[in-house]
Amino acid sequence: MTEKRTDKWWQDAVAYQIYPKSFKDSNGDGIGDLNGIREKIGYLKDLGVDFVWLNPVYQSPNVDNGYDISDYQAINPEFGTMDDMTQLIEEAHANGIKVIMDLVINHTSDQHPWFLEACKGEDNPYHDYYIWSDTAEKPNDWQSIFGGSVWEYVPSLKKNYFHVFAKEQPDLNWENKQMRESIFRMIRWWLDQGIDGFRIDAISHIKKSSWETKARPDWPHSPFTNVKGIGKYLKELSAVFKEYDIVTVGEASGVTAEEATEWVGNDGYFNMIFEFEHISLWQRDKSEAVDVVGLKRALGRWQKALDYGEGWNALYMENHDVPRSVSVFGNDTPQYWARSAKALATMYLLLQGTPFIYQGQELGMPNMTFTAIDQLDDVTAKNQIKALLGEKDQATKTLEILELMSSISRDNSRTPMQWDKSDNAGFSTAKPWMAVNPNHKTINVAQQKKESSSILNYYKQLIKLRKSKDVLAVGHYEDYLPTDEQVYVYERFLEHERVLVIVNLTKEQAEIRLPQTVLGKNWSLLLTNMEEDKETSAVTETVTEKMTLEPYQTLVYAHN
Ligand code: GLC
Ligand code: CA
């Protein structure tokens, strides 16, 4: 393949993930909705976003906030109507923004008509759409990802059904051809509505091992994660996708960099996947340092495995399932909050791949300090809290639980988007469905638009920079100091073009020594996260053999 800027639109794009329930409420019921997203298309355009991924907006009892679907072809009324969806797609397109939806096909809701039918008896045509034990006995002791057994008993049938996630999310039986065809019909229906692709939820779980398989001691979910034979179903699925000109991003926990080309190579199942290696290195205990060497190793392994022409990476630091990156990889103390948020942004936005920004990440929204148990909403948080409450005495426990949840819960990333400093953060005129982070008084879009050195403006600069250089689109990747415990130094290169990215990922000063191969070139400074301190700090206009970096200091150089 010749080295040139790619002609696949999604390889040159920046994506933005919207959690509709928490993005913008348009009708004053405290719940974000489709018309709210429409109101903010201008904001997305201004940021430089090319496509948005919407978390599920389908009909759902909301046990897992829309990941339990009861009708694939209906919009959840709390988000609006099918007409609103059509209008959103049209208006986004008119503004040059594409729209992809979440495709949840490992499981449905237990309220989906297919499952209600399935429970009526073994003779029902939908019975085999789901996965059942032969007898009343549970076939094994596998543990579900949300806690507890993967098996749930149905007294009327004297059998158990299988669920990887909550018991209200029964797994679909991918061995069943009729089931697969029903799913494929639904996919085509959505693509015919004019959407531009899908993020495919939990797709590495659709194949299960034989029931007698033992879970790996270090990995309880191994019997139903990326199991041998899964390729048969993924190929059928990708054949449907290939009927359309779309982008597909699979959520692929358990897939290694070594296997990645099978998933996203030229003949892969998807265009990109979300890998889980780097994201699992986050630091729960803030007193401990982030494993910088591990982070570089994980990111670097994927950069190398999927270099342009062999595959393509999806780049991300946040989503709706993990706590806020500035709190767990960066540093959310007042001193380093902005600087570390910019450092993380630089680190991942200049890698090779398509970057995904999760709503609020571009403001450096940190984790929430939860002050009451009932502020927590997530099904996994609730399960954990129930288990913990069972253990010790009430009062101390509540405090401990709140502290724990304020660092690990998925709810940290689900608090309403902070548009301005007004009471409900400009998210809604009513009390929001979930508590707003009190820090919206200072951390919000309106404020950051005004400040030239804000995190938001820094994201805009980075996005512009990315799009201005071929080397940042398709250039190769090299890590120069893989064993340095503080600093990430990588180069992107393409023919004669070079960009050098230097990021101190710690709260300590760092000294680096650069190898000869990097030196002796005419480097010039493109970007730093310490623009405002240029006079006083060690922002050097060019690259030298020995460099001293301030905490979280970031420098990007280029030469031609
Ligand atoms: C994916 C989603 C997560 C959801 C789970 C079950 O991991 O990202 O939010 O809870 O699948 O659908
Ligand atoms: Ca609403």
Side-chain angles (χ1 to χ4, degrees):
M1 187 166 282
T2 54
E3 289 184 325
K4 61 170 173 57
R5 202 173 177 107
T6 166
D7 55 6
K8 299 224 176 68
W9 68 266
W10 43 265
Q11 289 179 315
D12 224 357
V14 171
Y16 189 89
Q17 182 189 346
I18 293 180
Y19 199 71
K21 205 167 179 178
S22 298
F23 192 60
K24 178 72 175 88
D25 172 24
S26 71
N27 63 349
D29 63 358
I31 300 172
D33 46 53
L34 296 173
N35 287 334
I37 300 172
R38 265 169 62 199
E39 287 174 24
K40 297 297 180 185
I41 288 176
Y43 171 76
L44 299 170
K45 195 174 172 182
D46 185 50
L47 182 58
V49 167
D50 303 285
F51 72 104
V52 292
W53 150 29
L54 306 185
N55 284 101
V57 292
Y58 312 92
Q59 179 80 60
S60 163
N62 272 340
V63 169
D64 186 18
N65 274 344
Y67 282 97
D68 46 324
I69 296 172
S70 52
D71 185 346
Y72 284 108
Q73 284 166 238
I75 298 291
N76 190 334
E78 67 182 24
F79 293 135
T81 63
M82 197 58 85
D83 279 347
D84 297 335
M85 185 68 202
T86 311
Q87 283 222 32
L88 170 60
I89 298 168
E90 269 175 31
E91 268 181 55
H93 285 177
N95 283 279
I97 297 176
K98 297 189 193 289
V99 179
I100 74 169
M101 292 181 79
D102 219 306
L103 185 62
V104 189
I105 52 180
N106 174 71
H107 48 271
T108 66
S109 160
D110 63 352
Q111 300 306 306
H112 193 288
W114 294 345
F115 190 70
L116 298 176
E117 286 296 309
C119 287
K120 288 185 180 162
E122 289 178 8
D123 298 336
N124 190 287
Y126 291 100
H127 187 73
D128 202 33
Y129 269 41
Y130 295 86
I131 302 169
W132 300 93
S133 62
D134 292 332
T135 65
E137 217 178 304
K138 296 186 187 348
N140 52 44
D141 61 0
W142 297 352
Q143 292 297 297
S144 92
I145 292 180
F146 286 176
S149 170
V150 295
W151 297 104
E152 182 69 18
Y153 188 61
V154 179
S156 61
L157 293 174
K158 298 197 173 61
K159 296 204 311 190
N160 302 275
Y161 67 86
F162 183 97
H163 60 93
V164 166
F165 296 97
K167 67 175 193 318
E168 295 86 353
Q169 294 167 298
D171 277 41
L172 287 164
N173 178 15
W174 275 77
E175 318 279 334
N176 179 337
K177 196 162 186 316
Q178 275 85 41
M179 190 293 290
R180 298 201 297 277
E181 274 165 7
S182 300
I183 288 289
F184 298 156
R185 258 196 307 280
M186 175 277 286
I187 291 175
R188 290 192 184 97
W189 184 87
W190 268 110
L191 291 171
D192 292 338
Q193 309 301 308
I195 62 165
D196 303 288
F198 291 110
R199 174 265 190 184
I200 304 100
D201 183 65
I203 197 66
S204 55
H205 301 300
I206 61 173
K207 169 91 185 166
K208 284 68 169 162
S209 307
S210 58
W211 299 146
E212 64 281 2
T213 309
K214 290 264 170 282
R216 269 171 44 182
D218 59 328
W219 188 17
H221 310 137
S222 59
F224 45 85
T225 307
N226 194 15
V227 170
K228 200 161 172 254
I230 193 172
K232 173 174 186 270
Y233 306 123
L234 295 177
K235 269 199 202 108
E236 276 185 34
L237 177 61
S238 78
V240 178
F241 293 150
K242 281 174 186 151
E243 295 166 15
Y244 295 82
D245 180 17
I246 53 165
V247 63
T248 57
V249 195
E251 189 203 24
S253 76
V255 176
T256 64
E258 289 69 36
E259 299 160 305
T261 49
E262 205 179 306
W263 286 66
V264 294
N266 294 322
D267 205 22
Y269 314 131
F270 306 106
N271 298 132
M272 301 173 243
I273 51 175
F274 290 120
E275 51 85 15
F276 276 59
E277 264 184 82
H278 78 287
I279 207 74
S280 57
L281 294 169
W282 60 273
Q283 207 48 258
R284 176 175 307 183
D285 182 348
K286 287 183 189 170
S287 61
E288 278 172 44
V290 173
D291 175 6
V292 172
V293 173
L295 187 63
K296 294 190 286 191
R297 200 186 302 129
L299 289 171
R301 196 184 289 136
W302 284 83
Q303 287 290 296
K304 295 264 177 177
L306 296 177
D307 194 18
Y308 180 60
E310 277 156 58
W312 195 252
N313 274 292
L315 309 169
Y316 74 104
M317 289 302 289
E318 281 185 27
N319 61 37
H320 63 293
D321 289 331
V322 289
R324 291 289 187 175
S325 64
V326 72
S327 298
V328 296
F329 284 104
N331 187 315
D332 59 13
T333 63
Q335 193 179 9
Y336 295 130
W337 161 70
R339 209 195 284 173
S340 70
K342 293 174 187 173
L344 294 174
T346 315
M347 173 190 82
Y348 95 103
L349 268 161
L350 299 183
L351 290 169
Q352 193 196 79
T354 300
F356 286 73
I357 299 167
Y358 178 69
Q359 66 182 50
Q361 179 188 335
E362 75 278 22
L363 308 175
M365 275 177 69
N367 278 352
M368 172 81 169
T369 303
F370 291 102
T371 52
I373 297 278
D374 65 7
Q375 286 180 334
L376 288 136
D377 164 80
D378 173 33
V379 54
T380 59
K382 285 183 187 152
N383 284 347
Q384 282 168 318
I385 292 169
K386 217 197 284 164
L388 289 168
L389 279 175
E391 282 167 15
K392 300 177 246 158
D393 78 278
Q394 260 342 93
T396 49
K397 250 183 315 184
T398 304
L399 282 177
E400 276 173 31
I401 290 172
L402 289 171
E403 200 185 319
L404 178 70
M405 290 301 143
S406 301
S407 87
I408 69 164
S409 171
R410 305 200 289 184
D411 286 323
N412 284 298
S413 55
R414 299 178 181 184
T415 61
M417 177 73 177
Q418 295 168 195
W419 297 103
D420 60 40
K421 63 173 188 222
S422 67
D423 275 355
N424 301 318
F427 163 72
S428 176
T429 51
K431 186 171 179 275
W433 74 279
M434 182 173 215
V436 172
N437 197 321
N439 67 22
H440 73 275
K441 298 275 175 223
T442 51
I443 303 177
N444 61 64
V445 171
Q447 178 65 26
Q448 294 202 18
K449 271 194 165 164
K450 278 189 282 186
E451 276 170 36
S452 64
S453 67
S454 67
I455 301 170
L456 177 62
N457 281 318
Y458 188 83
Y459 265 86
K460 281 191 207 170
Q461 264 179 288
L462 266 175
I463 291 170
K464 277 212 188 84
L465 176 62
R466 238 198 105 81
K467 293 185 176 176
S468 69
K469 287 188 172 293
D470 287 0
V471 62
L472 289 175
V474 296
H476 309 289
Y477 160 95
E478 191 63 52
D479 179 353
Y480 281 117
L481 301 178
T483 57
D484 191 285
E485 287 170 8
Q486 290 179 272
V487 187
Y488 200 169
V489 180
Y490 68 84
E491 190 180 73
R492 300 287 309 280
F493 58 99
L494 182 73
E495 288 154 14
H496 301 296
E497 256 194 288
R498 301 254 181 300
V499 168
L500 187 70
V501 180
I502 304 178
V503 186
N504 181 357
L505 287 164
T506 69
K507 61 175 189 285
E508 274 86 40
Q509 244 194 12
E511 294 262 330
I512 52 168
R513 229 170 222 283
L514 293 171
Q516 286 305 319
T517 39
V518 181
L519 303 166
K521 289 174 192 139
N522 223 355
W523 292 108
S524 57
L525 186 65
L526 277 183
L527 186 68
T528 171
N529 61 349
M530 296 182 66
E531 196 65 45
E532 68 277 29
D533 313 282
K534 232 175 179 172
E535 308 302 316
T536 53
S537 77
V539 174
T540 35
E541 293 296 332
T542 191
V543 175
T544 54
E545 183 182 2
K546 269 204 326 206
M547 295 179 84
T548 304
L549 300 160
E550 296 301 315
Y552 300 104
Q553 182 172 1
T554 296
L555 299 158
V556 181
Y557 297 94
H559 95 84
N560 292 308

